[in-house]
Amino acid sequence: ARDPQPPCRVDAPAQPRVIREAMDVTQGKLSMGFRCGTDDVPAMLLANLLFGGTSNSKLFLNVREKLSLCYYASSNYVRSKGILTVSSGIESADYQRALDEILHQLQEVREEPWELEGARSTMRSALASLSDSQGALENYCLGQAATGQSEDPETMQRLLDQVTPERIRAAAGSVTLDTVYFLHGKEEA
């Protein structure tokens, strides 16, 4: 049997694709897809946590809480595909402000990843809790096998502990906007 081949990395287009759809909804949905041009997985994992991966992230604390531009906002790093996605629920009228602020918060991670120890602590807890659930450990190992990786949770934690702010800035700097999807109410069409 052949080992699975990792997916090929694809560059983002020169200009991001923008897809707008109208539906009979009262809350808009703003989703964004980014391409990650880095192979530094530990740094990208932490960059994602700082950006939108926790309730202490820049998206949650600034876009949702401080500026009230969305009902929810989070990001997810898909290591196997080299992509980062953002999902948010917004008032349709706030589309441009929310889009601009999400991009601004990504820029903040590129410039000063100051919440690094909190992100490390979150990953430490997540990795430590894998042994509490057979299903979670299975999913972790399956994800590792599917992407040709071999780090056990302890090794991954050591790798995360070695990540510097400079590496996070470089990882976040490799993130390029690929696609913006906006679902809005029909009255906005």
Side-chain angles (χ1 to χ4, degrees):
R2 276 187 337 157
D3 288 336
Q5 296 300 309
C8 296
R9 180 171 291 139
V10 177
D11 291 334
Q15 288 297 316
R17 293 172 277 242
V18 177
I19 301 162
R20 296 176 70 106
E21 276 190 285
M23 190 179 272
D24 191 14
V25 294
T26 55
Q27 183 184 115
K29 170 87 172 165
L30 172 60
S31 296
M32 301 165 73
F34 299 84
R35 301 278 177 180
C36 304
T38 183
D39 292 319
D40 191 347
V41 170
M44 198 61 231
L45 287 167
L46 291 170
N48 172 63
L49 288 179
L50 296 172
F51 180 45
T54 70
S55 58
N56 289 318
S57 68
K58 292 182 180 296
L59 291 183
F60 188 89
L61 293 177
N62 294 307
V63 183
R64 181 182 184 272
E65 295 291 305
K66 184 177 173 186
L67 299 173
S68 299
L69 285 174
C70 59
Y71 300 104
Y72 65 89
S74 64
S75 66
N76 185 44
Y77 171 54
V78 184
R79 157 188 193 168
S80 63
K81 297 181 184 292
I83 63 171
L84 179 78
T85 59
V86 170
S87 180
S88 64
I90 64 171
E91 288 289 335
S92 293
D94 289 331
Y95 165 77
Q96 193 60 52
R97 282 186 63 217
L99 176 71
D100 292 345
E101 191 58 37
I102 289 167
L103 293 172
H104 174 71
Q105 294 306 319
L106 177 59
Q107 186 59 34
E108 289 288 309
V109 176
R110 291 174 178 146
E111 292 175 5
E112 191 52 51
W114 57 266
E115 309 92 338
L116 180 53
E117 288 315 309
R120 270 195 238 277
S121 177
T122 297
M123 282 302 297
R124 191 173 292 114
S125 296
L127 289 167
S129 69
L130 285 174
S131 60
D132 297 339
S133 163
Q134 188 66 37
L137 190 54
E138 250 176 49
N139 283 340
Y140 177 85
C141 293
L142 183 61
Q144 294 289 84
T147 57
Q149 307 299 314
S150 60
E151 308 97 356
D152 58 34
E154 294 79 18
T155 302
M156 178 55 81
Q157 185 57 59
R158 281 195 301 276
L159 293 172
L160 290 164
D161 287 341
Q162 295 167 8
V163 174
T164 61
E166 291 74 24
R167 283 175 58 194
I168 291 176
R169 283 194 283 271
S174 80
V175 174
T176 308
L177 183 60
D178 181 290
T179 303
V180 175
Y181 173 79
F182 180 45
L183 176 68
H184 54 83
K186 289 185 176 179
E187 72 283 351
E188 306 288 328

